[in-house]
C-alpha cells in the first residue's frame, strides 16, 4: 500500500502543547522535514525563544538551546562562531523578534551571521494573553488596544522582511504563509533555501511566516485562516525580498 503520510524524524514524538488550529505546529513540521531532507539533523542546533514556541526545544529532534526574550540571534551567533560546521537556526515569534529583540535581529543580519531565522508573525503576543505586538494590524483588537490598534498612538505595524531586506548582510529574505496547502509548500521551499544559504556559507537568511493565533484572535481555526488571508497578506505581501544567485 502506498504510504501517504509519515512522521518526520526532524521532530520528536512529544505531543505539541499548541492550541487547536494554531499554525505553529505546521511551521515546526516544515522545519523538521527540511532539516531531515538536508541531512543535517546530526549537526543542527536550534535556539528557542520565549512566547508560545518556548518549548520548541522539546519538539525539534536536534540539539536545542533556550534564549531569553529576543536574544536568540545573539545566542545563535555565539554557537555558530564556536561551532562553524554546525547548522544553527532561531525560531522566534513576533513579540520576541520584532519587539524586545529588534536590535538583536537587525545586528545579526547586518553582521551577516551564517544563521537561519524562522520568524513566526501571528500579529499578536500569543503566550501572554494577546497584547498588541509591533506586527498587530491597524484596527486589530488586542488586550492592550481594546478599541483596535491606532496608528497615531502605536504607529504602523512593523514590516520585518522589508526592513531586513535593506541590510546587505541579509542574503536571503522571504515572506510566506501557511494558511493553505499551496502556501505551505511554498513556505517549505523558502525555509529549505534559507538553510541552503547557510550551508553554502553565503550568510544570514530569514523566512517570515504568517501564522494564526485562534485563541487570542477570538476566532475558530477556520475563521483564523481566512482572516490571515484577507487581512494579513494585503499588509504583509508574500514573496522573496533577497536571494543570492547561488541558490536560485
Ligand atoms: C524580557 C521579557 N519580557 C517579557 C516577557 C513576557 N513574555 C513572554 S512571551 C511574550 C510574548 C511572546 O509573543 P510572541 O513572541 O509573539 O510569540 P507567540 O506567543 O505569539 O508565539 C512576552 C511578552 C518575557 N518572558 N521576558
Ligand atoms: S496562544 Fe495563540 S500562538 Fe499560542 S499556542 Fe495558542 S493559538 Fe498558538
Amino acid at each position: 500500500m502506498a504510504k501517504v503520510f509519515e512522521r518526520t524524524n526532524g521532530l520528536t514524538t512529544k505531543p505539541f502543547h499548541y492550541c487547536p488550529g494554531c499554525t505553529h505546529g505546521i511551521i515546526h513540521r516544515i522545519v523538521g522535514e527540511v532539516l531531515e531532507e538536508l541531512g543535517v539533523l546530526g549537526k543542527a542546533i536550534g535556539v528557542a525563544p520565549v512566547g508560545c514556541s518556548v518549548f520548541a526545544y522539546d519538539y525539534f529532534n536536534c540539539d536545542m538551546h533556550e534564549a531569553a526574550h529576543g536574544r536568540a540571534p545573539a545566542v545563535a551567533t555565539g554557537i555558530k562562531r564556536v561551532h562553524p560546521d554546525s547548522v544553527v537556526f532561531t525560531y522566534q515569534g513576533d513579540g520576541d523578534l520584532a519587539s524586545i529583540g529588534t536590535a538583536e535581529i537587525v545586528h545579526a543580519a547586518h553582521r551577516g551571521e551564517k544563521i537561519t531565522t524562522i520568524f513566526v508573525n501571528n500579529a499578536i503576543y500569543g503566550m501572554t494573553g494577546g497584547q498588541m505586538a509591533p506586527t498587530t494590524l491597524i484596527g486589530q483588537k488586542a488586550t492592550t488596544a481594546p478599541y483596535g490598534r491606532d496608528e497615531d498612538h502605536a504607529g504602523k505595524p512593523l514590516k520585518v522582511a522589508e526592513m531586513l531586506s535593506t541590510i546587505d548582510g541579509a542574503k536571503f529574505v522571504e515572506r510566506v504563509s501557511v494558511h493553505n496547502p499551496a502556501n505551505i509548500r511554498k513556505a517549505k521551499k523558502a525555509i529549505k533555501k534559507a538553510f541552503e544559504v547557510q550551508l553554502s556559507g553565503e550568510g544570514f537568511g530569514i523566512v517570515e511566516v504568517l501564522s494564526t493565533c485562534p485563541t487570542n484572535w477570538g476566532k475558530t481555526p477556520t475563521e483564523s485562516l481566512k482572516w490571515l488571508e484577507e487581512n494579513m497578506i494585503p499588509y504583509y505581501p508574500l514573496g522573496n525580498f533577497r536571494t543570492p544567485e547561488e541558490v536560485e
Side-chain angles (χ1 to χ4, degrees), residues 17-24 52 122 124 126-127 212-216:
H17 70 285
Y18 298 113
C19 307
C22 175
T23 44
H24 260 304
C52 285
N122 59 15
I124 206 141
M127 185 202 212
T212 64
C213 179
T215 301
N216 289 299

Side-chain angles (χ1 to χ4, degrees), residues 104-213:
E104 303 288 334
I105 197 69
V106 165
H107 287 285
H110 176 65
R111 296 190 306 269
E113 298 297 341
K114 294 173 182 54
I115 60 172
T116 304
T117 290
I118 313 301
F119 167 45
V120 181
N121 178 359
N122 59 15
I124 206 141
Y125 283 15
M127 185 202 212
T128 46
Q131 294 89 349
M132 183 174 65
T135 48
T136 298
L137 296 178
I138 299 293
Q140 183 186 341
K141 288 187 177 157
T143 54
T144 48
Y147 304 111
R149 182 182 184 138
D150 171 13
E151 186 182 336
D152 282 345
H153 181 68
K156 283 192 170 137
L158 198 60
K159 292 186 173 179
V160 171
E162 284 83 344
M163 176 177 72
L164 294 183
S165 68
T166 66
I167 296 176
D168 283 349
K171 298 297 182 209
F172 184 87
V173 182
E174 187 156 329
R175 183 183 290 120
V176 298
S177 175
V178 288
H179 67 285
N180 62 28
N183 279 279
I184 290 170
R185 278 193 290 275
K186 283 186 196 160
K188 182 170 173 185
K189 224 171 145 192
I191 287 174
K192 199 170 210 170
K193 273 195 177 184
F195 275 106
E196 283 166 353
V197 166
Q198 178 179 168
L199 286 166
S200 66
E202 284 287 341
F204 181 82
I206 180 168
V207 181
E208 175 173 342
V209 189
L210 302 186
S211 185
T212 64
C213 179

